[in-house]
Amino acid sequence: MSATSAGVPHPHLHRSAGRASVPGPDRGASGRARPAEARWYPSYDEQQRGPGGPAGPTGPGGPGGAGGPGRRGPRPRWGRIGLVAGIAVLVLALLGGLGAWMYARNLNNDLTRTDPFAEITGGRPAKTVDGALNILLVGSDSRDPDAPVDSKSQWRADTVIVMHIPADHQAAYLVSIPRDLYVPIPESAGADCGSGKRAKINAAFAFGGLPLAVRTVECFTDVRIDHVMAIDFGGFKEVTDALGGVDLKVERTITSIHKPYRTFTKGTNHMDGAEALDWIRQRKQFPEGDFARMRHQQEFLRALMDKAASSGTLANPKKLNDFLKSVTAAVTVDQGFSVTDMAVQFRNLRGQNLTFLTSPNSGSDTINGESVVVSDREKALAMYRAMSADTMADWVKANPPKNTDGG
């Protein structure tokens, strides 16, 4: 079945001085420091106590806001598509030798780059396990696709995911952090973790772009971030269409709240790019609200990755090229991110190797008059310690993710 149109006419930083996206092929090392001692965010306990400082801006157009009538609506999220691109490039390399690696090099040069680590000069969590990787994936609902991702702007982090790759590179753990999670946000990317005020985590992106988003996530989790990938999800329509669409499970028949008010029918739906992005934006029709949307986005990522890694894509040069080009056009990465390196490191990853989790939380609450998600301190602390120690497999075994399909 396909999603069909119903046809009814009626869905943490001050501004970075001098930081701008680096569009050229500069591939120099980021030069970021690696302090020897890691420490947990001193204000983490206080998240459970409610107000401790002014909240970030809310309401239409603000972080986590619903958006006004003139807005195009929040775009979806994520960035793990770099994994798929890596797998595809590796296959090309094996089949085509030098020519394929030249292609991969050109693909690498096409990526838009930024340096979100330059302002974070000290106090970062230590790198504790060689070979393990932690990648921050942020998806934006920016109104302006050309808005800079590395400074205060119109961008909003509609999705925040920390992806952990164990040292053996045989699996990946993707932890979705609710965009409304109430956390301390430092004053700036270079400030101490104890500075600043509390707000929804997606406000960090609005307040200070990627540098402050990285700083906030590192302070909250005490996990060192190795790479960053930012996506403007307007480009994911092309990514999905380049693969010929994806099959997604719809757990209940609903009508989209966004034009053209599509009807999504219960069952497995084959969706093109516009349909898939519309589906994963829905939340008001589900009892779990934004948590249902996060689950649908995780399912979309898995389906997209499996489709990209399928023989039908890898064996079709035109489809593969269209897919890879659409991915590079949709993402911004850090200076040290390398497509060829990712190809080698992620060559064994497929949908069945991915574990999707949500940062442990105790649900919603109202603080300073706004609805927020409150972290489950003990469980979150244990999970992020397991991530730093590269023992996520043990943690997941002891805390299996819930499989909720909705009502």
Side-chain angles (χ1 to χ4, degrees):
M1 291 180 287
S2 300
T4 59
S5 175
V8 181
H10 301 126
H12 306 290
L13 164 70
H14 299 298
R15 185 177 184 88
S16 306
R19 306 247 34 101
S21 296
V22 182
D26 180 6
R27 302 296 178 266
S30 65
R32 48 193 190 274
R34 296 190 175 189
E37 181 176 337
R39 53 183 175 78
W40 185 256
Y41 195 132
S43 297
Y44 190 80
D45 290 291
E46 301 176 7
Q47 294 177 52
Q48 307 302 309
R49 295 203 293 267
T58 59
R71 186 175 176 179
R72 291 184 298 179
R75 294 181 183 167
R77 32 240 219 154
W78 339 333
R80 183 232 17 216
I81 294 308
L83 303 184
V84 179
I87 294 170
V89 169
L90 179 65
V91 173
L92 282 173
L94 294 175
L95 296 177
L98 179 61
W101 281 104
M102 291 298 293
Y103 174 83
R105 181 178 179 182
N106 291 335
L107 195 68
N108 206 54
N109 290 343
D110 287 341
L111 288 167
T112 301
R113 305 221 172 228
T114 186
D115 190 355
F117 302 105
E119 297 175 51
I120 311 176
T121 57
R124 299 189 63 195
K127 181 78 171 181
T128 56
V129 179
D130 290 338
L133 288 174
N134 299 307
I135 304 176
L136 178 63
L137 312 175
V138 290
S140 170
D141 63 355
S142 169
R143 300 182 190 183
D144 177 9
D146 296 320
V149 300
D150 50 4
S151 62
K152 180 179 179 181
S153 70
Q154 296 184 56
W155 274 54
R156 298 291 184 269
D158 191 47
T159 296
V160 181
I161 295 177
V162 178
M163 179 172 64
H164 173 71
I165 310 293
D168 62 9
H169 298 164
Q170 298 300 304
Y173 300 88
L174 291 94
V175 179
S176 295
I177 299 178
R179 64 179 186 172
D180 292 342
L181 194 70
Y182 200 60
V183 301
I185 299 179
E187 291 181 349
S188 70
D192 292 337
C193 287
S195 65
K197 58 188 178 183
R198 294 178 187 81
K200 297 177 181 181
I201 197 167
N202 71 338
F205 207 157
F207 294 166
L210 277 176
L212 186 57
V214 171
R215 183 61 165 169
T216 299
V217 170
E218 287 192 338
C219 285
F220 169 68
T221 64
D222 205 26
V223 171
R224 186 182 183 89
I225 300 299
D226 300 296
H227 292 292
V228 174
M229 181 180 288
I231 298 177
D232 182 7
F233 282 98
F236 261 52
K237 175 184 178 296
E238 285 71 27
V239 173
T240 306
D241 287 340
L243 294 174
V246 293
D247 293 332
L248 295 174
K249 180 182 177 182
V250 174
E251 67 263 35
R252 61 166 63 187
T253 298
I254 65 165
T255 298
S256 172
I257 60 175
H258 309 119
K259 292 182 179 180
Y261 308 114
R262 298 177 177 88
T263 295
F264 295 97
T265 307
K266 182 177 180 179
T268 299
N269 286 229
H270 183 77
M271 303 185 192
D272 62 19
E275 292 166 341
L277 296 187
D278 191 12
W279 165 248
I280 62 177
R281 288 166 59 196
Q282 306 305 313
R283 63 187 175 92
K284 293 184 178 180
Q285 306 93 322
F286 300 93
E288 316 100 293
D290 207 45
F291 290 97
R293 179 167 61 176
M294 281 193 295
R295 185 178 71 251
H296 296 155
Q297 291 166 345
Q298 292 171 347
E299 292 167 354
F300 171 70
L301 282 177
R302 189 190 301 274
L304 203 61
M305 185 172 183
D306 283 340
K307 188 70 175 289
S310 69
S311 59
T313 300
L314 298 179
N316 186 322
K318 183 181 184 305
K319 181 180 286 189
L320 181 59
N321 181 66
D322 290 345
F323 166 70
L324 293 174
K325 290 295 185 182
S326 63
V327 168
T328 57
V331 302
T332 297
V333 298
D334 63 272
Q335 298 287 356
F337 186 96
S338 167
V339 171
T340 51
D341 286 349
M342 295 298 134
V344 174
Q345 293 168 352
F346 300 150
R347 63 186 180 276
N348 295 319
L349 290 182
R350 296 295 188 275
Q352 63 267 29
N353 306 115
L354 307 178
T355 299
F356 290 93
L357 304 161
T358 299
S359 187
N361 63 86
S362 55
S364 300
D365 197 358
T366 300
I367 298 177
N368 288 343
E370 62 177 339
S371 177
V372 300
V373 175
V374 181
S375 180
D376 184 326
R377 178 185 178 278
E378 295 302 327
K379 286 187 177 180
L381 185 60
M383 187 193 71
Y384 290 120
R385 280 176 174 168
M387 187 178 289
S388 291
D390 199 19
T391 58
M392 280 295 288
D394 294 335
W395 190 89
V396 170
K397 185 176 180 180
N399 303 271
K402 295 179 181 179
N403 183 19
T404 56
D405 295 326

